[in-house]
Amino acid sequence: MPDVFADLVGQDEAVATLRRAAAAAAAVLRHAAGERALALTPAAPGSAESAGGSGDPGAGMTHAWIFTGPPGSGRSVAARAFAAALQCAYGTGCGECPGCHTTMAGTHADVRLVVPEGLSIGVDEMRALVLRAASTPSGGRWQVVVIEDADRLTEAAGNALLKAIEEPPPRTVFLLCAPSTHPDDISVTIRSRCRVVPLRQPSADAVAEVLVRRDGIAPDVAQWAAAAAQGHVGRARRLARDPEARKRRDAVLAIPRRLTGVGAAFDAASALIEAAEAEAEASVAEADAAERAALETALGAGGTGRGAAGAIRGAAGQLKDLERRQKSRATRAQRDALDRALVDLAGFYRDALTMALRAPVAPVHTDAAALAAAGAQKWDAEGALRRLEAVLACRAAIEANVKPRIAVEAMMLALWRG
Ligand SMILES: [Zn+2]
């Protein structure tokens, strides 16, 4: 029976660490329960003796963790699986008990998940979270706080979190996810109080295996998608399942041969930006509408009774606040969509480079290999490398807050000129 760690693809070392920690955490709980039992029934000593094992029952467990690794390597999957193992009735992450089930389904009362929707996690959100995390776990085990994309904490939010990590409530566990432990991603002081679990980029074979086993995807499709997604499990699944995602990727891979002049380069830049905008809009539209409808209902939209005028004045502020958050989320979604396209494009030029060098490695985009081979012939290794670097420079520029259109136009011109 697959337990909660089954979907952590190609991460044996990390899984071993987390299993040990979960067992240690369970021992801490047994030890505490044993002490209580001893206090209540002093006539039966020794009954709880074997539970904790020898020495410190908590060795291997700590209250703050950082999961690091490239996007798609499974940082949040690892954090959630560990949260489930902490809530597991058997302390193993069996995948069967209510603790495992509800944690994996996102409904466990003692597991809080922070998924930033905008560009950053604000201080108010963090303060509220830290406060709630300090309460006694209702299920009698642990209060677990999972923070996805902890690199998006604002400085103030980071400080609020740091305070909680410095003086942790006895049963609270913080699980942070970040691309790396670089000071740009996570503050040095937070880092110094956490145990780090590094995840590696899983191999294409490992990703394909999980697509077949877990998602029932045909082996040849899984193999293609795993290679095209470059180790990103979620992206591989989308490519295998979603025809729209495949269409968008095809459009991106068609860019290199469309770059026939300056005008074409600007056209390609516009097309890429607009595709990212459309994709982002589609991904947030449903949530936006649902949130607005829910807020309007809560505010009693259309009410005409006494006090309605005052309610409307307050409502305007709340609606404005909602719109601000939705705008931030839309911007993030656009950047993410654009970044996915740039990763695909980088894969294409990487293929051209490895072909020009006759390196014995499999291409990322098996279905565009002929095109990459033609590029390799035309540009040589140096030309392919310059183009690859142009794509990577574009990603870096956008990350550093250069306006996406400017960065993409500069990249397209560089790709055309070579
Ligand atoms: Zn379980």
Side-chain angles (χ1 to χ4, degrees):
M1 186 52 63
D3 67 11
V4 295
F5 294 109
D7 288 344
L8 261 176
V9 184
Q11 311 289 356
D12 298 348
E13 218 171 297
V15 169
T17 302
L18 297 175
R19 283 190 198 283
R20 268 197 306 277
V28 170
L29 295 180
R30 279 199 304 273
H31 189 79
E35 277 182 349
R36 263 203 309 280
L38 280 175
L40 289 172
T41 53
S47 59
E49 219 15 72
S50 59
S54 58
D56 178 6
M61 181 56 189
T62 186
H63 68 279
W65 298 73
I66 302 179
F67 298 84
T68 62
S73 57
R75 298 180 306 233
S76 59
V77 178
R80 273 178 224 222
F82 186 41
L86 290 174
Q87 305 295 10
C88 175
Y90 306 100
T92 57
C94 67
E96 296 280 287
C97 72
C100 285
H101 254 286
T102 50
T103 304
M104 295 308 267
T107 55
H108 196 294
D110 297 332
V111 179
R112 274 167 244 298
L113 184 66
V114 185
V115 185
E117 296 187 320
L119 293 173
S120 59
I121 307 173
V123 65
D124 292 343
E125 194 180 349
M126 186 53 64
R127 284 207 187 111
L129 188 80
V130 163
L131 205 63
R132 274 161 64 193
S135 59
T136 307
S138 61
R141 298 186 70 86
W142 306 92
Q143 282 282 6
V144 184
V145 179
V146 180
I147 303 175
E148 286 191 12
D149 301 311
D151 52 310
R152 293 181 192 168
L153 290 172
T154 61
E155 199 184 334
N159 288 337
L161 175 64
L162 177 63
K163 238 180 257 166
I165 292 181
E166 278 177 333
E167 292 161 31
R171 288 289 182 83
T172 304
V173 182
F174 291 94
L175 309 179
L176 318 184
C177 307
S180 75
T181 53
H182 189 279
D184 281 354
D185 287 337
I186 205 93
S187 83
V188 176
T189 40
I190 290 181
R191 154 76 188 86
S192 69
R193 284 174 170 78
C194 295
R195 189 172 304 170
V196 179
V197 180
L199 301 170
R200 52 187 91 240
Q201 179 164 312
S203 71
D205 284 343
V207 174
E209 190 271 326
V210 79
L211 293 187
V212 172
R213 175 176 54 75
R214 183 186 62 191
D215 303 315
I217 289 162
D220 54 334
V221 176
Q223 204 68 47
W224 162 81
Q230 304 178 58
H232 193 306
V233 184
R235 170 93 176 127
R237 184 167 57 239
R238 255 194 312 280
L239 281 176
R241 283 198 156 163
D242 179 3
E244 288 299 314
R246 281 201 290 276
K247 238 190 274 173
R248 284 192 291 267
R249 172 178 168 278
D250 289 346
V252 168
L253 294 181
I255 287 172
R257 62 168 174 243
R258 286 178 49 199
L259 295 173
T260 51
V262 177
F266 279 104
D267 287 349
S270 284
L272 192 63
I273 295 281
E274 279 151 26
E277 283 170 358
E279 184 187 344
E281 205 175 293
S283 76
V284 298
E286 206 175 316
D288 280 1
E291 282 173 0
R292 196 181 170 95
L295 180 58
E296 281 173 352
T297 306
L299 295 170
T304 52
R306 279 203 302 173
I312 286 167
R313 277 197 296 278
Q318 289 192 47
L319 274 174
K320 219 169 164 184
D321 190 48
L322 177 67
E323 278 165 10
R324 189 179 47 73
R325 273 186 286 129
Q326 290 185 340
K327 191 158 176 262
S328 174
R329 176 170 64 196
T331 306
R332 182 78 239 172
Q334 268 175 36
R335 283 203 197 170
D336 288 348
L338 187 56
D339 198 58
R340 274 193 294 279
L342 292 174
V343 168
D344 282 346
L345 202 54
F348 175 84
Y349 290 107
R350 171 235 181 241
D351 286 349
L353 175 63
T354 55
M355 286 172 190
L357 292 170
R358 295 184 212 294
V361 291
V364 168
H365 301 297
T366 45
D367 48 349
L371 215 61
Q377 275 226 311
K378 205 163 106 191
W379 306 321
D380 282 333
E382 272 174 48
L385 179 60
R386 276 199 303 277
R387 287 171 173 85
L388 174 56
E389 283 174 342
V391 180
L392 299 180
C394 178
R395 286 185 79 195
I398 292 170
E399 192 55 39
N401 275 327
V402 172
K403 213 163 166 268
R405 183 174 288 273
I406 310 251
V408 170
E409 283 175 354
M411 174 191 77
M412 292 294 185
L413 287 172
L415 293 179
W416 165 60
R417 289 202 191 101

